[in-house]
Amino acid sequence: MSDTRESIADQLGATPAPAAPIAEAPAAEAPAAPPPAQDAAPLREQQLDKHGRAYATGRRKDAVARVWLKPGSGKIVINGREQEVYFARPSLRLVINQPFGVADRTGQYDVEATVKGGGLSGQAGAVKHGIAQALSRFEPALRAAVKQAGFLTRDPRVVERKKYGRAKARRSFQFSKR
């Protein structure tokens, strides 16, 4: 049955019109149109306080960090102490400076932070989260880079609660055969 069917173009005896040039013309014009639309789309607004600082809150585990970011020489002060004193481990200092490395802004901003709760690792993660949030509020153009690195997302992992009948959350008591 499919052998006897003819297309509409065959029945009319007309050859199909070349669709490629028509399709190419809008395609050539289409890339020129989006860049003005992207420029016209407003970025997020810069959020600064009356002192010209960007404020953000960072959280990790049980730690909560309040972070103020302002242009400066790269000095980081946590709870009134330098970062080298407060976070003595180099790995924790690396964690704090990660958002600046991703955004290529190392040594360009001063950070003042107050941290409460949790241990040192959680506090370092909270300060990192706060710095990333504040950086995206001070320079909204950096938001894409910081977000792609995953620094704007709060890490939802927290300590699992202890269950009754167990030594810890999942650890059983030592088995005694007799």
Side-chain angles (χ1 to χ4, degrees):
M1 183 169 175
S2 62
D3 295 337
T4 59
R5 286 191 177 173
E6 297 178 356
S7 68
I8 297 173
D10 291 339
Q11 289 176 355
L12 297 175
T15 58
I22 298 170
E24 289 176 11
E29 294 173 13
Q38 276 184 335
D39 294 339
L43 285 172
R44 290 174 181 256
E45 204 172 294
Q46 187 182 37
Q47 300 174 2
L48 302 178
D49 63 4
K50 62 183 176 182
H51 301 291
R53 305 175 300 185
Y55 170 77
T57 305
R59 291 185 173 87
R60 170 85 168 97
K61 294 186 177 179
D62 273 346
V64 179
R66 297 185 303 156
V67 177
W68 288 270
L69 186 84
K70 63 181 179 180
S73 59
K75 191 170 100 174
I76 299 178
V77 178
I78 297 145
N79 290 348
R81 291 187 273 174
E82 292 288 327
Q83 70 167 336
E84 291 82 14
V85 176
Y86 195 84
F87 293 118
R89 277 187 271 167
S91 60
L92 297 178
R93 291 197 299 270
L94 283 174
V95 166
I96 289 176
N97 290 312
Q98 279 179 334
F100 294 123
V102 167
D104 292 329
R105 297 291 189 268
T106 307
Q108 296 182 19
Y109 289 100
D110 287 345
V111 176
E112 190 174 328
T114 58
V115 194
K116 292 182 181 177
L120 286 176
S121 177
Q123 288 186 350
V127 171
K128 176 181 92 167
H129 185 228
I131 288 173
Q133 296 270 10
L135 198 59
S136 69
R137 289 182 183 163
F138 198 91
E139 283 190 65
L142 296 177
R143 182 175 170 84
V146 176
K147 187 175 178 73
Q148 190 170 7
F151 297 149
L152 294 180
T153 307
R154 190 235 196 259
D155 191 350
R157 298 175 296 170
V158 292
V159 178
E160 190 175 347
R161 79 171 198 88
K162 183 196 178 305
K163 278 74 168 192
Y164 55 85
R166 298 205 169 245
K168 292 168 51 174
R170 299 188 180 198
R171 168 109 167 82
S172 301
F173 293 115
Q174 183 173 354
F175 177 74
S176 176
K177 200 169 196 177
R178 290 180 188 87

